Amino acid sequence: MTAMTYKEREFQRRENDLLDALLECLQEAPLEQITIESIANHIGIAKGTVYKHVSTKDDLIAKLSLREFGDLHNLMVNVDQNRPVPVIIKDLITLGFKHMASHQTMGIIDDYVHSPNFKSKLSPEVREEIEHKDKEFDSFFIDLMQRGIDEGDIPNIPAKTLCDIIHFTMIGAYEGIWGCNAEEFTPNEILKFTNHYTSFILGGILSLED
């Protein structure tokens, strides 16, 4: 891989600053009130500089989603795969839940990027990147679930269906966490909830009939 030039590194650094600024703005105002100009003002740069990185606010939101969920994907693919699939799935659910529960602002982003017609509003380059990451994420879980089915550890139900069950159930749990005041819960209470939730999901999957 060719090393990045100084100019490329600076461009990447500024883009990360913009994504951080969007996250910080989300803690102060609703998403619909945030503009390219307010993001630029937040970090003291000209609005025109933002447009060197993205064409619209939606593109910036998509890039933030790519960064945050990309970090989660990287954590997941590095989980030890040389174990029974149910054990791996439990670790992945726990990892995903802990990551998302500690990033409450991402609940707003996740809802927005999964809203109808969101992808149609993106520039072609960003839309292609989003779709590629979605397929990569889905393939990782579907392949793992299929392995569990083939090895007889997971009920013989279409792998995509099982992945959808986990995904939609986790969305409900995330919304419950994001919709409350996390400061009301101690770290130990959150840990207990995460462990109970993970066991509940895995137990439900394993108890399904073929």
Side-chain angles (χ1 to χ4, degrees):
M1 182 181 295
T2 305
M4 295 175 67
T5 65
Y6 173 78
K7 185 176 181 180
E8 290 170 336
R9 290 196 302 272
E10 282 299 295
F11 186 88
Q12 186 62 57
R13 180 192 61 77
R14 187 183 297 114
E15 185 162 294
N16 278 322
D17 287 346
L18 287 170
L19 300 180
D20 290 340
L22 173 56
L23 272 176
E24 291 167 6
C25 287
L26 281 168
Q27 296 172 2
E28 302 170 1
L31 182 58
E32 59 271 16
Q33 293 181 12
I34 298 172
T35 63
I36 289 291
E37 185 173 8
S38 64
I39 294 168
N41 290 339
H42 190 80
I43 54 175
I45 63 174
K47 184 168 67 173
T49 302
V50 181
Y51 288 116
K52 293 180 181 179
H53 294 264
V54 292
S55 301
T56 65
K57 184 179 79 172
D58 284 333
D59 274 4
L60 192 64
I61 292 169
K63 282 179 174 284
L64 177 60
S65 175
L66 283 167
R67 186 183 75 174
E68 297 300 313
F69 289 103
D71 288 345
L72 176 58
H73 181 255
N74 289 337
L75 289 172
M76 288 183 164
V77 297
N78 285 310
V79 166
D80 182 8
Q81 303 290 311
N82 298 313
R83 298 174 296 164
V85 170
V87 176
I88 299 171
I89 291 174
K90 184 174 182 179
D91 281 356
L92 292 175
I93 294 174
T94 301
L95 183 63
F97 192 84
K98 286 180 178 178
H99 181 84
M100 297 302 291
S102 64
H103 294 70
Q104 292 195 40
T105 308
M106 288 310 299
I108 301 170
I109 297 297
D110 190 59
D111 282 345
Y112 190 77
V113 300
H114 287 99
S115 61
N117 303 318
F118 173 73
K119 289 182 181 178
S120 66
K121 296 185 289 185
L122 300 175
S123 64
E125 297 82 6
V126 176
R127 181 168 60 249
E128 182 179 353
E129 193 172 356
I130 280 277
E131 290 175 345
H132 173 74
K133 286 294 183 182
D134 283 347
K135 290 178 181 177
E136 187 178 55
F137 204 81
D138 289 346
S139 294
F140 171 72
F141 277 98
I142 291 172
D143 290 348
L144 178 64
M145 200 69 73
Q146 188 60 54
R147 177 189 141 195
I149 294 169
D150 294 341
E151 293 175 353
D153 293 327
I154 301 291
N156 189 21
I157 294 171
K160 177 67 165 58
T161 299
L162 294 173
C163 290
D164 286 343
I165 290 171
I166 293 176
H167 176 71
F168 292 129
T169 307
M170 291 184 78
I171 287 176
Y174 293 154
E175 289 179 348
I177 291 291
W178 289 327
C180 70
N181 182 1
E183 294 179 356
E184 296 177 357
F185 301 94
T186 66
N188 189 51
E189 287 173 330
I190 293 176
L191 177 61
K192 283 184 177 180
F193 179 83
T194 301
N195 290 336
H196 291 327
Y197 169 81
T198 304
S199 296
F200 170 77
I201 292 295
L202 185 60
I205 290 292
L206 296 180
S207 67
L208 292 172
E209 296 183 0
D210 295 354

